[in-house]
């Protein structure tokens, strides 16, 4: 990965984090209610964390045809556009590669944010992944236009400015550039170009929660796994084609271990949240929430959403891997009935999806967010957090940060870290803004430390006595 980060920048970030923690009593604060009674906790209000509801809707976008028109772009053209955009908007974009495809094409990621090169303390990272199936390139083009929309609207659109000031958005337009290279425009069905250059379906190539996946790992999936292991993504969307629906985890089911493929829901502990995220996309889409079938022989989806396994179970999917392994809420977004529609239809696809693509990312600012500290006020990295009753956990970043998308209600968080006593914290989520929650863990080893000191003293005394005895013997 070639994302640049300076040591000085990291130190400044850490210093800012400590200032936030130490200055808790002087900052504007949000109250976290203890539903069991007791004192209200005062938590720091992060800068520019405005309520989403207070902002006007994002404005419509018209592309600059000299920079990006509604046509399909091959890998060289895609690369040129990304490089030119990064050069033209250096304060809003950063371009990096997470690896290469089988045939040596870069897997480019564009960060779009008011802090493109440095993580913003207390503010979430989100992502979109397009073109995991090479013959489903509508998402690939939508993501290029989303980049163009963000950079050209930042100075004039309040919603876009708020989103980019408070979020780091990572966009991988194509995860399968080799498959795209052999796909054919106008082909609505079939598998030509779906797979990578070795013939592997990349959306069947991830480790699976329910069933051992024996398929050999591919460079493209290995690159994505490494990518999401290094960045704590809160929210993600994977763009596909061939249907019109937002599909949410789980994609697989325990029944698949017995090779039974009856379509039945396979629900996560966060089913309410994942359904909500799917509905946010479907309802902001021009057509998806109507639930109209693409063809008479294909299913219609109520409200334009479905549980993945209820549609059809699959092993090795990317969205289940994101959710189970890293606690990232990922939704599969099927945005075109035709897998590879003619280019003249791309403008209409953009009009259908523009608002959904933006509003979905803003959901990263729903729920609870905060920091985990030690008694000295220093951040605890890799502290494990679980929301009680929801068995899939998540961890803090190296700055002690955490985020979890939750719907309004009362919750308990269980916080664990090696060397610290576990702690349970109660909090409430409201609709209007995220709940800010800081947790301080106490060391679990004071007696161990005292015992260790006593043991060291005893050992030293024993050595001195033995030395004297040895001298007397001499």
């Amino acid at each position: 990965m070639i994302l640049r980060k300076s040591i000085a920048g990291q130190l400044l970030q850490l210093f800012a984090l400590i200032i936030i923690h130490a200055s808790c009593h002087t900052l504007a604060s949000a109250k976290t209610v203890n539903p069991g009674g007791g004192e209200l906790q005062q938590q720091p209000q992060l800068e520019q964390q405005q309520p989403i509801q207070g902002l006007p809707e994002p404005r419509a976008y018209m592309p600059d045809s000299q920079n990006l028109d509604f046509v399909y772009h091959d890998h060289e053209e895609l690369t040129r556009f990304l490089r030119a955009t990064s050069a033209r908007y250096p304060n809003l974009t950063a371009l990096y590669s997470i690896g290469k495809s089988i045939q040596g094409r870069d897997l480019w990621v564009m960060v779009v944010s008011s802090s493109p090169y440095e993580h913003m303390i207390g503010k979430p990272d989100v992502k979109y992944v397009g073109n995991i199936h090479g013959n489903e390139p509508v998402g690939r083009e939508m993501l290029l236009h989303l980049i163009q929309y963000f950079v050209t609207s930042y100075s004039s659109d309040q919603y876009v400015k708020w989103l980019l000031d408070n979020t780091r958005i990572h966009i991988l337009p194509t995860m399968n550039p080799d498959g795209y290279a052999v796909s054919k425009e106008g082909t609505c069905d079939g598998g030509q170009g779906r797979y990578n250059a070795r013939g592997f379906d990349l959306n069947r190539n991830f480790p699976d929660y329910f069933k051992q996946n024996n398929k050999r790992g591919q460079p493209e999936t290995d690159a994505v796994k490494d990518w999401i292991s290094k960045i704590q993504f809160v929210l993600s969307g994977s763009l596909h084609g061939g249907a019109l629906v937002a599909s949410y985890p789980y994609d697989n089911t325990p029944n698949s271990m017995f090779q039974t493929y009856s379509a039945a829901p396979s629900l996560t502990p966060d089913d309410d949240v994942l359904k909500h995220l799917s509905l946010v996309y479907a309802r902001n889409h021009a057509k998806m929430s109507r639930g109209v079938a693409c063809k008479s022989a294909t299913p219609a989806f109520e409200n334009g959403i479905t549980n993945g396994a209820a549609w059809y179970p699959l092993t090795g999917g990317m969205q289940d891997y994101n959710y189970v392994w890293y606690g990232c809420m990922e939704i599969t977004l099927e945005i075109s009935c035709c897998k590879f529609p003619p280019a003249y239809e791309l403008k209409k696809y953009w009009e259908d999806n523009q608002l959904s693509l933006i509003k979905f990312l803003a959901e990263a600012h729903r729920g609870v967010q905060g920091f985990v500290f030690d008694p000295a006020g220093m951040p605890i990295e890799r502290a494990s957090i679980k929301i009680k009753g929801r068995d899939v956990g998540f961890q803090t970043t190296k700055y002690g940060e955490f985020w979890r998308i939750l719907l309004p209600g009362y919750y308990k968080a269980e916080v664990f870290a090696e060397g610290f006593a576990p702690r349970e914290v109660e909090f409430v989520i409201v609709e209007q803004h995220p709940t800010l929650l800081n947790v301080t863990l106490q060391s679990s080893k004071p007696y161990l430390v005292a015992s260790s000191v006593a043991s060291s003293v005893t050992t030293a005394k024993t050595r001195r006595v033995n030395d004297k005895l040895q001298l007397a013997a001499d």
Side-chain angles (χ1 to χ4, degrees):
M1 195 176 294
I2 55 175
L3 185 60
R4 303 196 302 270
K5 290 188 175 180
S6 66
I7 295 175
Q10 297 297 323
L11 291 174
L12 284 171
Q13 286 180 326
L14 188 57
F15 178 72
L17 184 151
I18 296 168
I19 292 295
I20 289 173
H21 181 66
S23 305
C24 179
H25 63 284
T26 63
L27 296 172
S29 60
K31 293 181 179 178
T32 302
V33 177
N34 180 346
E39 185 179 354
L40 296 178
Q41 300 174 15
Q42 299 291 323
Q43 302 298 348
Q45 180 73 44
L46 299 179
E47 183 183 1
Q48 295 194 38
Q49 192 68 44
Q50 305 171 26
I52 299 170
Q53 290 83 353
L55 296 171
E57 291 289 288
R59 286 188 275 187
Y61 144 86
M62 293 301 295
D64 181 351
S65 59
Q66 293 183 339
N67 293 306
L68 187 71
D69 210 346
F70 285 111
V71 296
Y72 289 106
H73 298 82
D74 64 24
H75 195 71
E76 290 70 27
E77 292 166 338
L78 178 147
T79 300
R80 282 200 298 272
F81 166 75
L82 294 175
R83 284 177 170 162
T85 301
S86 184
R88 188 174 181 183
Y89 299 94
N91 296 325
L92 290 176
T93 62
L95 182 63
Y96 64 100
S97 172
I98 60 170
K100 292 183 182 292
S101 67
I102 294 289
Q103 296 177 345
R105 295 179 173 93
D106 275 297
L107 303 177
W108 293 116
V109 174
M110 176 74 88
V111 180
V112 189
S113 171
S114 62
S115 180
Y117 285 102
E118 297 287 347
H119 172 68
M120 296 186 288
I121 295 292
K123 298 178 182 179
D125 288 85
V126 299
K127 63 182 168 74
Y128 274 131
V129 176
N131 207 199
I132 188 172
H133 293 140
N135 64 337
E136 300 171 13
V138 173
R140 168 190 178 114
E141 296 302 325
M142 295 302 99
L143 293 180
L144 295 182
H145 282 281
L146 185 64
I147 291 169
Q148 179 80 349
Y149 170 78
F150 280 147
V151 298
T152 57
S153 301
Y154 178 77
S155 60
S156 59
D157 189 306
Q158 291 182 38
Y159 196 102
V160 171
K161 186 178 190 310
W162 170 83
L163 188 61
L164 269 60
D165 283 348
N166 290 282
T167 325
R168 295 186 77 236
I169 303 166
H170 302 246
I171 297 176
L172 171 59
T174 176
M175 185 178 160
N176 188 2
D178 298 350
Y180 174 80
V182 297
S183 302
K184 295 190 181 302
E185 183 179 339
T187 305
C188 288
D189 301 300
Q192 182 177 348
R194 176 183 178 89
Y195 310 105
N196 76 346
R198 288 180 182 156
F200 282 81
D201 187 329
L202 299 180
N203 201 38
R204 308 291 188 276
N205 198 237
F206 287 86
D208 194 88
Y209 178 56
F210 293 104
K211 180 182 178 182
Q212 184 173 345
N213 190 357
N214 295 318
K215 293 183 175 67
R216 181 159 55 104
Q218 297 302 295
E220 297 91 345
T221 48
D222 288 345
V224 169
K225 286 189 290 184
D226 185 60
W227 180 39
I228 64 181
S229 74
K230 294 176 178 176
I231 300 174
Q232 182 96 354
F233 289 112
V234 177
L235 179 64
S236 176
S238 174
L239 278 64
H240 292 241
L244 197 60
V245 66
S247 173
Y248 55 89
Y250 292 118
D251 263 336
N252 210 351
T253 171
N255 293 334
S256 68
M257 291 188 286
F258 306 102
Q259 300 299 310
T260 60
Y261 291 94
S262 57
S266 182
L267 305 182
T268 71
D270 291 288
D271 187 63
D272 59 337
V273 174
L274 292 163
K275 279 181 179 173
H276 167 80
L277 294 171
S278 301
L279 283 169
V280 166
Y281 198 93
R283 288 173 176 166
N284 284 287
H285 189 278
K287 303 182 182 73
M288 190 179 288
S289 64
R290 298 176 195 169
V292 178
C294 285
K295 301 175 185 176
S296 58
T298 59
F301 301 101
E302 185 178 358
N303 297 316
I305 69 171
T306 185
N307 172 260
W311 184 10
Y312 62 90
L314 61 90
T315 298
M318 184 167 67
Q319 70 175 10
D320 285 10
Y321 178 75
N322 271 267
Y323 174 68
V324 175
W325 266 258
Y326 294 100
C328 173
M329 306 279 190
E330 179 165 291
I331 304 296
T332 297
L333 303 167
E334 302 273 357
I335 62 172
S336 62
C337 287
C338 178
K339 289 180 181 291
F340 201 152
Y344 65 80
E345 296 183 4
L346 287 173
K347 184 175 186 295
K348 182 58 179 171
Y349 282 114
W350 170 258
E351 292 169 353
D352 289 349
N353 285 278
Q354 174 191 343
L355 191 58
S356 294
L357 289 166
I358 300 162
K359 287 297 192 75
F360 179 78
L361 295 181
E363 290 298 306
H365 297 278
R366 173 187 295 280
V368 63
Q369 62 185 75
F371 300 87
V372 178
F373 296 105
D374 68 15
M378 297 303 294
I380 299 176
E381 182 180 2
R382 299 183 69 81
S384 296
I385 305 173
K386 280 187 179 180
I387 305 302
K388 204 161 186 178
R390 297 169 186 250
D391 289 337
V392 174
F394 50 102
Q395 292 188 322
T396 57
T397 69
K398 65 180 178 179
Y399 303 112
E401 308 152 289
F402 67 90
W403 300 262
R404 194 61 166 182
I405 302 171
L406 294 166
L407 301 186
Y410 293 97
Y411 297 90
K412 291 182 180 179
E414 299 170 319
V415 188
F416 309 85
E418 186 176 355
F420 295 90
R423 185 174 174 193
E424 188 175 279
V425 184
E426 296 178 318
F427 61 96
V428 65
I429 299 296
V430 296
E431 178 68 29
Q432 292 78 11
H433 56 76
T435 295
L436 305 177
L437 180 66
N438 292 347
V439 180
T440 298
L441 296 183
Q442 301 299 322
S443 174
S444 64
K445 300 181 178 179
Y447 298 109
L448 291 177
V449 171
S451 174
S452 176
V453 171
S455 176
S456 298
V457 170
T458 301
T459 301
K461 287 181 178 177
T462 303
R463 284 176 179 165
R464 285 197 296 271
V465 170
N466 288 338
D467 289 342
K468 289 178 180 179
L469 291 173
Q470 185 62 45
L471 286 171
D474 291 342

